[in-house]
């Protein structure tokens, strides 16, 4: 199967604009905590203009048209930029073979046996040929889909989906992917009896997939990667791409679940002081209080159908 979205130097944003209505990209840029767009979060792009300073929102005009080359994956950035971000933000990306091992340990623990989805082969892997068996597992395939998993400081989301190797930029076929969302989507494909059931549980897989990231450009790429992993899994199994309605629903889930956060503070990236977590977890606090304090990030519990502050889940 051909990749929906080219990897490497070709723009991530252009492919979204070509595939979907503008409303999808607008949703992927939305910050559910602030009600605005995600921000750049540092001044790396200041040479382009004042509107690219860290505190400014990322908007469609800033990353499309003549500015379409602004958002690019780490592998496509100059080595100097990569090194600078490693020093400033401890930004390092995990090779796909190591992602496979680490995600494998997590699945081994849940299933109670080794090599469920793949076996390691030096710095590579071989996916299992047979359908995933849930005999002896602690739950059904639906329980596995609903098991919530989080990639902290997710960068471009390699642990969620291995659409490409973060170190080389090489594309990885759908059947060979080993991110934890990829594994969930594989299980959905192997067990759903028709398209409607597949779609229902593919959404459930997205709803159980979480990640946060500080850098605005990385976050947008992560969100695009997750949406395209969903779309490519659909194309691989059903030979079709998401409709506008289906893509928008997926993008809405992703905009809640893959969010921008300072992981040390639990807030939207800001130089403002942190307030009281309990107080800031409510949507009805006064606007003047929001202006004085950094906002605690809100996430959504899709099963309970309610939002809550991420920091409140750590207590």
């Amino acid at each position: 199967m051909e990749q929906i979205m080219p990897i490497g130097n070709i723009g991530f944003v252009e492919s979204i604009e070509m595939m979907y209505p503008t409303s999808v990209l607008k949703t992927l840029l939305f910050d559910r905590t602030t009600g605005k767009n995600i921000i750049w979060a540092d001044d790396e792009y200041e040479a382009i203009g004042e509107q690219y300073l860290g505190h400014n929102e990322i908007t469609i005009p800033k990353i499309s048209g003549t500015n379409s080359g602004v958002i690019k994956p780490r592998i496509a950035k100059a080595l100097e930029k990569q090194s600078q971000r490693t020093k400033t933000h401890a930004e390092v990306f995990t090779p796909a073979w190591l992602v496979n091992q680490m995600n494998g340990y997590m699945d081994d623990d849940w299933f109670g046996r080794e090599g469920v989805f793949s076996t390691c082969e030096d710095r590579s892997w071989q996916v299992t040929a047979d359908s995933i068996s849930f005999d002896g597992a602690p739950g059904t395939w639906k329980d596995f889909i609903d098991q919530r998993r989080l990639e902290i400081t997710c960068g471009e989301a390699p642990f969620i989906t291995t659409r490409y190797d973060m170190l080389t930029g090489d594309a990885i076929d759908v059947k060979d992917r080993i991110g934890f969302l990829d594994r969930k989507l594989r299980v959905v494909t192997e067990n759903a009896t028709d398209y409607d059931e597949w779609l229902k549980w593919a959404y459930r897989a997205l709803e159980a997939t979480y990640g946060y990231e500080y850098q605005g450009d990385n976050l947008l790429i992560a969100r695009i990667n997750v949406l395209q992993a969903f779309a490519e899994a659909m194309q691989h199994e059903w030979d079709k791409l998401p409709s506008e309605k289906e893509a928008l629903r997926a993008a809405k889930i992703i905009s809640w679940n893959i969010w921008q956060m300072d992981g040390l503070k639990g807030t939207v990236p800001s130089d403002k002081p942190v307030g009281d977590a309990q107080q800031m977890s409510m949507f009805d606090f006064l606007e003047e209080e929001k202006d004085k304090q950094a906002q605690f990030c809100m996430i959504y519990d899709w099963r309970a159908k309610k939002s809550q502050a991420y920091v409140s889940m750590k207590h």
Side-chain angles (χ1 to χ4, degrees):
M1 184 199 75
E2 293 185 0
Q3 287 289 105
I4 289 177
M5 184 175 67
I7 305 303
N9 253 330
I10 306 176
F12 276 58
V13 174
E14 297 97 304
S15 62
I16 294 295
E17 290 183 307
M18 288 187 294
M19 284 180 60
Y20 307 110
T22 303
S23 56
V24 173
L25 182 55
K26 287 177 65 176
T27 301
L28 292 177
L29 286 169
F30 192 65
D31 188 310
R32 296 286 169 181
T33 298
T34 64
K36 301 177 182 179
N37 279 11
I38 61 176
I39 62 173
W40 296 101
D42 77 7
D43 296 335
E44 178 182 336
Y45 298 95
E46 64 179 328
I48 304 176
E50 185 177 343
Q51 290 302 307
Y52 291 83
L53 290 172
H55 64 277
N56 285 309
E57 297 175 57
I58 303 178
T59 62
I60 291 177
K62 294 177 188 176
I63 57 175
S64 62
T66 57
N67 298 314
S68 61
V70 172
I71 299 292
K72 62 182 71 173
R74 178 181 170 89
I75 189 64
K77 293 174 181 173
L79 289 176
E80 182 181 354
K81 287 290 186 183
Q82 294 183 29
S83 177
Q84 177 184 335
R85 289 174 72 128
T86 298
K87 292 177 181 178
T88 305
H89 298 288
E91 180 184 276
V92 290
F93 284 5
T94 311
W97 65 268
L98 187 54
V99 168
N100 175 63
Q101 286 191 8
M102 296 174 73
N103 278 344
Y105 293 147
M106 188 162 47
D107 288 326
D108 292 349
D109 182 67
W110 193 84
F111 280 89
R113 64 181 190 269
E114 296 182 355
V116 178
F117 287 89
S118 63
T119 55
C120 299
E121 297 182 352
D122 191 24
R123 295 197 170 189
S124 185
W125 65 90
Q126 182 67 44
V127 297
T128 54
D130 297 332
S131 296
I132 305 303
S133 171
F134 285 81
D135 291 342
T140 66
W141 70 269
K142 293 179 180 179
D143 295 321
F144 179 77
I145 300 304
D146 278 341
Q147 186 186 46
R148 286 176 286 193
R149 295 187 176 181
L150 165 70
E151 181 178 0
I152 64 172
T153 57
C154 67
E156 296 172 19
F159 283 88
I160 295 174
T161 177
T162 50
R163 297 187 64 240
Y164 53 94
D165 191 306
M166 297 290 170
L167 292 188
T168 66
D170 294 335
I172 299 174
D173 289 340
V174 170
K175 63 181 178 59
D176 295 321
R177 294 177 186 173
I178 37 72
F180 60 74
L181 174 62
D182 301 324
R183 296 173 187 228
K184 287 177 182 289
L185 291 172
R186 172 182 173 175
V187 168
V188 172
T189 295
E190 291 175 350
N191 289 277
T193 57
D194 56 30
Y195 178 75
D196 288 341
E197 187 178 28
W198 186 94
L199 188 60
K200 172 185 174 179
W201 286 96
Y203 285 140
R204 296 269 291 223
L206 287 177
E207 290 171 352
T209 297
Y210 292 85
Y212 67 79
E213 167 61 24
Y214 185 93
Q215 301 288 118
D217 56 352
N218 282 347
L219 180 72
L220 179 58
I221 291 174
R223 287 179 168 185
I224 290 173
N225 276 335
V226 174
L227 175 63
Q228 297 294 62
F230 165 81
E232 288 165 348
M234 177 186 290
Q235 185 184 51
H236 185 263
E237 178 62 12
W238 302 101
D239 197 28
K240 70 184 292 291
L241 293 174
S243 66
E244 177 181 354
K245 181 179 178 180
E246 291 166 346
L248 271 173
R249 179 173 173 182
K252 178 182 176 181
I253 296 168
I254 292 164
S255 68
W256 269 110
N257 285 27
I258 312 297
W259 75 98
Q260 186 165 34
M261 184 172 76
D262 180 330
L264 296 177
K265 299 177 180 178
T267 68
V268 174
S270 173
D271 57 4
K272 296 176 182 177
V274 178
D276 177 72
Q278 183 65 32
Q279 179 186 30
M280 297 297 285
S281 69
M282 299 170 61
F283 276 122
D284 58 353
F285 50 68
L286 297 175
E287 289 295 324
E288 58 183 345
E289 291 179 305
K290 287 201 294 185
D291 291 339
K292 293 177 182 177
Q293 298 174 332
Q295 290 178 257
F296 282 96
C297 291
M298 305 297 293
I299 61 173
Y300 200 79
D301 182 339
W302 298 93
R303 304 283 69 83
K305 300 186 184 304
K306 67 176 183 178
S307 60
Q308 61 189 106
Y310 171 74
V311 294
S312 70
M313 300 178 62
K314 300 171 68 176
H315 300 313

